[in-house]
Amino acid sequence: MHGFIRRCLVFAATVATGGSAGAVDTAFSPNLIEIEITDSLGRSGTAAIPFAVGTYDSVLRSVSYSTSTPFAVVDAGSAATVATVRSLSVQARVYPPRAYLNATIDAGSATCTVLVRSSTVKCPPIDEMHAQGRAFASFAVRDMNENGALLTGVGPPGSGAYRAVYNGPFPTGSQFSHLVATVSASAGATGSGFQNDPPSGYRPVGATIKSVNGAMLFTLSPGDRATCTTRFDVSGTTHPLGDMNCDGLVNSFDIDPFILALLDPAAYAAAFPDCDVQSADCNLDGVINNFDTDSFLEFLGIGLPSSDLP
């Protein structure tokens, strides 16, 4: 069996031309961005940007999306515009894990509570000893109706308008940081505020990292505009997925160890005591099995051939 699987992998490596551009990477949640907006009149609306419309790089395992075309978030019952999204962008990456989220939003005729949430990105586990994080947020408000503008983070006093979150989506994941509690502007003016955590470099996360995401959660005064820029990065020493011999690379030397991990995890652990068998979970579904083979081939820079193997 070992020899047959190896011949199949080598055959794929020889004849494949690469994975399809439309492939879905299960390390990312189905939506790149999710938006929920309610207002003080009881109206609410939602919007979502699906993974399929993003620009996906299968080599870097990253995805990005950007639009500057405005669209309305509409209350389903009354068809009233709750808020207008002026622009959106997101960048997300599996390793080193990253979640960047930017938005410009105009409140409607009433005070709005705005939630904008990025994709949750699953990553190879980075152990607590090595996991280092950094977060950044910048918020600006512009008074659009000559009566001042106010943006305030939702939650207990002092809660940040941006939440950097790991090991689960907001609000169920653990919070690394919350930044920028409030920003105001006088009549006809613009106000801004930003924060870095830590002030420079990285700081220990204090936990093993398995996923990252970010969320903006704030209230915005009627008729005014908020422009938001946020970033969350995690760094750490770990072996990339598919690096089954722990040399820091994913290449043909990993084929035999990968097969061993699939067929006999205990034998793999004995043969490679300093490696983590979870590096074979190439599709990040929590299970090491044949479904990891396609992703492993992508990491090798190839893809399964479109026709059946002989």
Side-chain angles (χ1 to χ4, degrees):
M1 176 64 78
H2 180 146
F4 172 74
I5 295 175
R6 189 179 194 283
R7 286 195 299 273
C8 290
L9 286 171
V10 172
F11 175 81
T14 302
V15 304
T17 58
S20 66
V24 174
D25 191 328
T26 56
F28 300 91
S29 50
N31 292 323
L32 291 179
I33 304 173
E34 295 177 339
I35 301 170
E36 302 173 17
I37 304 178
T38 61
D39 70 15
S40 56
L41 299 178
R43 302 175 299 190
S44 64
T46 63
I49 306 299
F51 178 88
V53 305
T55 300
Y56 176 63
D57 187 320
S58 61
V59 175
L60 297 177
R61 293 194 79 191
S62 65
V63 64
S64 62
Y65 171 82
S66 180
T67 182
S68 55
T69 301
F71 63 89
V73 177
V74 176
D75 175 64
S78 65
T81 296
V82 182
T84 300
V85 178
R86 311 294 302 183
S87 66
L88 278 176
S89 68
V90 64
Q91 294 182 34
R93 183 177 64 195
V94 170
Y95 186 82
R98 164 185 292 178
Y100 292 1
L101 180 62
N102 309 310
T104 300
I105 295 173
D106 289 354
S109 59
T111 298
C112 288
T113 299
V114 177
L115 170 62
V116 184
R117 181 168 45 201
S118 77
S119 172
T120 298
V121 186
K122 293 185 286 186
C123 62
I126 302 174
D127 64 71
E128 180 177 350
M129 181 181 297
H130 296 102
Q132 302 276 321
R134 65 179 181 185
F136 167 80
S138 172
F139 288 85
V141 292
R142 179 180 175 186
D143 175 40
M144 307 288 287
N145 46 18
E146 299 297 327
N147 63 353
L150 179 64
L151 178 152
T152 304
V154 173
S159 295
Y162 172 65
R163 320 291 173 89
V165 178
Y166 61 92
N167 295 350
F170 178 82
T172 58
S174 299
Q175 184 171 281
F176 171 76
S177 187
H178 66 99
L179 304 174
V180 187
T182 186
V183 180
S184 62
S186 58
T190 298
S192 63
F194 72 92
Q195 282 185 289
N196 290 283
D197 180 15
S200 63
Y202 289 80
R203 68 171 174 86
V205 176
T208 296
I209 297 296
K210 298 180 180 179
S211 72
V212 299
N213 77 105
M216 307 168 186
L217 179 59
F218 58 85
T219 60
L220 180 62
S221 49
D224 296 321
R225 177 171 298 172
T227 300
C228 321
T229 302
T230 66
R231 298 178 181 177
F232 182 31
D233 292 280
V234 173
S235 177
T237 302
T238 188
H239 295 289
L241 290 176
D243 176 19
M244 302 308 300
N245 64 355
C246 300
D247 64 355
L249 303 172
V250 181
N251 54 30
S252 60
F253 295 108
D254 295 298
I255 291 176
D256 283 344
F258 175 75
I259 296 169
L260 184 60
L262 289 184
L263 299 181
D264 193 339
Y268 172 84
F272 299 91
D274 296 326
C275 300
D276 185 354
V277 71
Q278 291 301 317
S279 293
D281 182 20
C282 294
N283 66 353
L284 291 172
D285 66 353
V287 182
I288 299 172
N289 54 28
N290 291 336
F291 294 108
D292 295 298
T293 302
D294 285 6
S295 296
F296 177 66
L297 289 171
E298 289 185 7
F299 301 159
L300 292 174
I302 58 180
L304 284 173
S306 57
S307 59
D308 292 336
L309 295 176

mmCIF file with all atom_site columns, all heavy atoms in Angstrom, residues 136-139 179-180 183 192-196:
data_model
loop_
_atom_site.group_PDB
_atom_site.id
_atom_site.type_symbol
_atom_site.label_atom_id
_atom_site.label_alt_id
_atom_site.label_comp_id
_atom_site.label_asym_id
_atom_site.label_entity_id
_atom_site.label_seq_id
_atom_site.pdbx_PDB_ins_code
_atom_site.Cartn_x
_atom_site.Cartn_y
_atom_site.Cartn_z
_atom_site.occupancy
_atom_site.B_iso_or_equiv
_atom_site.pdbx_formal_charge
_atom_site.auth_seq_id
_atom_site.auth_comp_id
_atom_site.auth_asym_id
_atom_site.auth_atom_id
_atom_site.pdbx_PDB_model_num
ATOM 1  N N   . PHE A 1 136 ? -3.255  46.405 15.544 1.00 0.00 ? 136 PHE A N   1
ATOM 2  C CA  . PHE A 1 136 ? -3.282  47.833 15.236 1.00 0.00 ? 136 PHE A CA  1
ATOM 3  C C   . PHE A 1 136 ? -4.689  48.213 14.818 1.00 0.00 ? 136 PHE A C   1
ATOM 4  O O   . PHE A 1 136 ? -5.379  47.453 14.118 1.00 0.00 ? 136 PHE A O   1
ATOM 5  C CB  . PHE A 1 136 ? -2.308  48.163 14.110 1.00 0.00 ? 136 PHE A CB  1
ATOM 6  C CG  . PHE A 1 136 ? -2.500  49.539 13.522 1.00 0.00 ? 136 PHE A CG  1
ATOM 7  C CD1 . PHE A 1 136 ? -1.982  50.657 14.157 1.00 0.00 ? 136 PHE A CD1 1
ATOM 8  C CD2 . PHE A 1 136 ? -3.211  49.726 12.343 1.00 0.00 ? 136 PHE A CD2 1
ATOM 9  C CE1 . PHE A 1 136 ? -2.163  51.921 13.628 1.00 0.00 ? 136 PHE A CE1 1
ATOM 10 C CE2 . PHE A 1 136 ? -3.407  50.985 11.804 1.00 0.00 ? 136 PHE A CE2 1
ATOM 11 C CZ  . PHE A 1 136 ? -2.874  52.088 12.446 1.00 0.00 ? 136 PHE A CZ  1
ATOM 12 N N   . ALA A 1 137 ? -5.125  49.398 15.242 1.00 0.00 ? 137 ALA A N   1
ATOM 13 C CA  . ALA A 1 137 ? -6.419  49.919 14.805 1.00 0.00 ? 137 ALA A CA  1
ATOM 14 C C   . ALA A 1 137 ? -6.361  51.425 14.689 1.00 0.00 ? 137 ALA A C   1
ATOM 15 O O   . ALA A 1 137 ? -5.768  52.109 15.535 1.00 0.00 ? 137 ALA A O   1
ATOM 16 C CB  . ALA A 1 137 ? -7.523  49.514 15.785 1.00 0.00 ? 137 ALA A CB  1
ATOM 17 N N   . SER A 1 138 ? -6.978  51.927 13.631 1.00 0.00 ? 138 SER A N   1
ATOM 18 C CA  . SER A 1 138 ? -7.113  53.368 13.413 1.00 0.00 ? 138 SER A CA  1
ATOM 19 C C   . SER A 1 138 ? -8.562  53.661 13.022 1.00 0.00 ? 138 SER A C   1
ATOM 20 O O   . SER A 1 138 ? -9.106  53.006 12.125 1.00 0.00 ? 138 SER A O   1
ATOM 21 C CB  . SER A 1 138 ? -6.163  53.831 12.311 1.00 0.00 ? 138 SER A CB  1
ATOM 22 O OG  . SER A 1 138 ? -6.417  55.182 11.955 1.00 0.00 ? 138 SER A OG  1
ATOM 23 N N   . PHE A 1 139 ? -9.173  54.609 13.713 1.00 0.00 ? 139 PHE A N   1
ATOM 24 C CA  . PHE A 1 139 ? -10.549 55.004 13.417 1.00 0.00 ? 139 PHE A CA  1
ATOM 25 C C   . PHE A 1 139 ? -10.600 56.515 13.214 1.00 0.00 ? 139 PHE A C   1
ATOM 26 O O   . PHE A 1 139 ? -9.994  57.265 13.990 1.00 0.00 ? 139 PHE A O   1
ATOM 27 C CB  . PHE A 1 139 ? -11.486 54.616 14.562 1.00 0.00 ? 139 PHE A CB  1
ATOM 28 C CG  . PHE A 1 139 ? -11.741 53.147 14.675 1.00 0.00 ? 139 PHE A CG  1
ATOM 29 C CD1 . PHE A 1 139 ? -10.858 52.336 15.373 1.00 0.00 ? 139 PHE A CD1 1
ATOM 30 C CD2 . PHE A 1 139 ? -12.857 52.565 14.088 1.00 0.00 ? 139 PHE A CD2 1
ATOM 31 C CE1 . PHE A 1 139 ? -11.080 50.972 15.487 1.00 0.00 ? 139 PHE A CE1 1
ATOM 32 C CE2 . PHE A 1 139 ? -13.091 51.204 14.197 1.00 0.00 ? 139 PHE A CE2 1
ATOM 33 C CZ  . PHE A 1 139 ? -12.198 50.402 14.899 1.00 0.00 ? 139 PHE A CZ  1
ATOM 34 N N   . LEU A 1 179 ? -8.930  47.825 20.956 1.00 0.00 ? 179 LEU A N   1
ATOM 35 C CA  . LEU A 1 179 ? -8.245  49.086 20.701 1.00 0.00 ? 179 LEU A CA  1
ATOM 36 C C   . LEU A 1 179 ? -9.215  50.191 20.303 1.00 0.00 ? 179 LEU A C   1
ATOM 37 O O   . LEU A 1 179 ? -10.234 49.944 19.665 1.00 0.00 ? 179 LEU A O   1
ATOM 38 C CB  . LEU A 1 179 ? -7.206  48.902 19.582 1.00 0.00 ? 179 LEU A CB  1
ATOM 39 C CG  . LEU A 1 179 ? -6.143  47.807 19.805 1.00 0.00 ? 179 LEU A CG  1
ATOM 40 C CD1 . LEU A 1 179 ? -5.293  47.642 18.555 1.00 0.00 ? 179 LEU A CD1 1
ATOM 41 C CD2 . LEU A 1 179 ? -5.279  48.136 21.008 1.00 0.00 ? 179 LEU A CD2 1
ATOM 42 N N   . VAL A 1 180 ? -8.882  51.432 20.676 1.00 0.00 ? 180 VAL A N   1
ATOM 43 C CA  . VAL A 1 180 ? -9.582  52.681 20.325 1.00 0.00 ? 180 VAL A CA  1
ATOM 44 C C   . VAL A 1 180 ? -11.005 52.673 20.891 1.00 0.00 ? 180 VAL A C   1
ATOM 45 O O   . VAL A 1 180 ? -11.950 52.212 20.241 1.00 0.00 ? 180 VAL A O   1
ATOM 46 C CB  . VAL A 1 180 ? -9.586  52.944 18.813 1.00 0.00 ? 180 VAL A CB  1
ATOM 47 C CG1 . VAL A 1 180 ? -10.171 54.329 18.537 1.00 0.00 ? 180 VAL A CG1 1
ATOM 48 C CG2 . VAL A 1 180 ? -8.182  52.819 18.221 1.00 0.00 ? 180 VAL A CG2 1
ATOM 49 N N   . VAL A 1 183 ? -13.817 57.978 19.492 1.00 0.00 ? 183 VAL A N   1
ATOM 50 C CA  . VAL A 1 183 ? -13.283 59.039 18.637 1.00 0.00 ? 183 VAL A CA  1
ATOM 51 C C   . VAL A 1 183 ? -14.419 60.032 18.407 1.00 0.00 ? 183 VAL A C   1
ATOM 52 O O   . VAL A 1 183 ? -15.565 59.634 18.145 1.00 0.00 ? 183 VAL A O   1
ATOM 53 C CB  . VAL A 1 183 ? -12.787 58.503 17.279 1.00 0.00 ? 183 VAL A CB  1
ATOM 54 C CG1 . VAL A 1 183 ? -12.239 59.633 16.421 1.00 0.00 ? 183 VAL A CG1 1
ATOM 55 C CG2 . VAL A 1 183 ? -11.730 57.425 17.477 1.00 0.00 ? 183 VAL A CG2 1
ATOM 56 N N   . SER A 1 192 ? -9.789  61.625 14.788 1.00 0.00 ? 192 SER A N   1
ATOM 57 C CA  . SER A 1 192 ? -9.197  60.309 14.577 1.00 0.00 ? 192 SER A CA  1
ATOM 58 C C   . SER A 1 192 ? -8.469  59.835 15.825 1.00 0.00 ? 192 SER A C   1
ATOM 59 O O   . SER A 1 192 ? -8.116  60.625 16.707 1.00 0.00 ? 192 SER A O   1
ATOM 60 C CB  . SER A 1 192 ? -8.228  60.322 13.389 1.00 0.00 ? 192 SER A CB  1
ATOM 61 O OG  . SER A 1 192 ? -7.137  61.192 13.638 1.00 0.00 ? 192 SER A OG  1
ATOM 62 N N   . GLY A 1 193 ? -8.265  58.534 15.880 1.00 0.00 ? 193 GLY A N   1
ATOM 63 C CA  . GLY A 1 193 ? -7.501  57.936 16.963 1.00 0.00 ? 193 GLY A CA  1
ATOM 64 C C   . GLY A 1 193 ? -6.948  56.600 16.520 1.00 0.00 ? 193 GLY A C   1
ATOM 65 O O   . GLY A 1 193 ? -7.535  55.929 15.666 1.00 0.00 ? 193 GLY A O   1
ATOM 66 N N   . PHE A 1 194 ? -5.794  56.221 17.062 1.00 0.00 ? 194 PHE A N   1
ATOM 67 C CA  . PHE A 1 194 ? -5.219  54.925 16.724 1.00 0.00 ? 194 PHE A CA  1
ATOM 68 C C   . PHE A 1 194 ? -4.471  54.373 17.925 1.00 0.00 ? 194 PHE A C   1
ATOM 69 O O   . PHE A 1 194 ? -4.059  55.109 18.829 1.00 0.00 ? 194 PHE A O   1
ATOM 70 C CB  . PHE A 1 194 ? -4.293  55.025 15.506 1.00 0.00 ? 194 PHE A CB  1
ATOM 71 C CG  . PHE A 1 194 ? -2.985  55.724 15.786 1.00 0.00 ? 194 PHE A CG  1
ATOM 72 C CD1 . PHE A 1 194 ? -1.862  55.003 16.179 1.00 0.00 ? 194 PHE A CD1 1
ATOM 73 C CD2 . PHE A 1 194 ? -2.878  57.103 15.650 1.00 0.00 ? 194 PHE A CD2 1
ATOM 74 C CE1 . PHE A 1 194 ? -0.666  55.646 16.443 1.00 0.00 ? 194 PHE A CE1 1
ATOM 75 C CE2 . PHE A 1 194 ? -1.683  57.748 15.911 1.00 0.00 ? 194 PHE A CE2 1
ATOM 76 C CZ  . PHE A 1 194 ? -0.571  57.022 16.312 1.00 0.00 ? 194 PHE A CZ  1
ATOM 77 N N   . GLN A 1 195 ? -4.280  53.055 17.919 1.00 0.00 ? 195 GLN A N   1
ATOM 78 C CA  . GLN A 1 195 ? -3.521  52.376 18.960 1.00 0.00 ? 195 GLN A CA  1
ATOM 79 C C   . GLN A 1 195 ? -2.790  51.177 18.375 1.00 0.00 ? 195 GLN A C   1
ATOM 80 O O   . GLN A 1 195 ? -3.286  50.538 17.424 1.00 0.00 ? 195 GLN A O   1
ATOM 81 C CB  . GLN A 1 195 ? -4.438  51.877 20.080 1.00 0.00 ? 195 GLN A CB  1
ATOM 82 C CG  . GLN A 1 195 ? -4.884  52.940 21.059 1.00 0.00 ? 195 GLN A CG  1
ATOM 83 C CD  . GLN A 1 195 ? -5.671  52.351 22.200 1.00 0.00 ? 195 GLN A CD  1
ATOM 84 O OE1 . GLN A 1 195 ? -6.800  51.915 22.025 1.00 0.00 ? 195 GLN A OE1 1
ATOM 85 N NE2 . GLN A 1 195 ? -5.068  52.320 23.384 1.00 0.00 ? 195 GLN A NE2 1
ATOM 86 N N   . ASN A 1 196 ? -1.625  50.869 18.944 1.00 0.00 ? 196 ASN A N   1
ATOM 87 C CA  . ASN A 1 196 ? -0.879  49.656 18.656 1.00 0.00 ? 196 ASN A CA  1
ATOM 88 C C   . ASN A 1 196 ? -0.767  48.846 19.938 1.00 0.00 ? 196 ASN A C   1
ATOM 89 O O   . ASN A 1 196 ? -0.538  49.403 21.012 1.00 0.00 ? 196 ASN A O   1
ATOM 90 C CB  . ASN A 1 196 ? 0.547   49.975 18.187 1.00 0.00 ? 196 ASN A CB  1
ATOM 91 C CG  . ASN A 1 196 ? 0.589   50.598 16.812 1.00 0.00 ? 196 ASN A CG  1
ATOM 92 O OD1 . ASN A 1 196 ? 0.440   49.918 15.806 1.00 0.00 ? 196 ASN A OD1 1
ATOM 93 N ND2 . ASN A 1 196 ? 0.796   51.906 16.770 1.00 0.00 ? 196 ASN A ND2 1
#
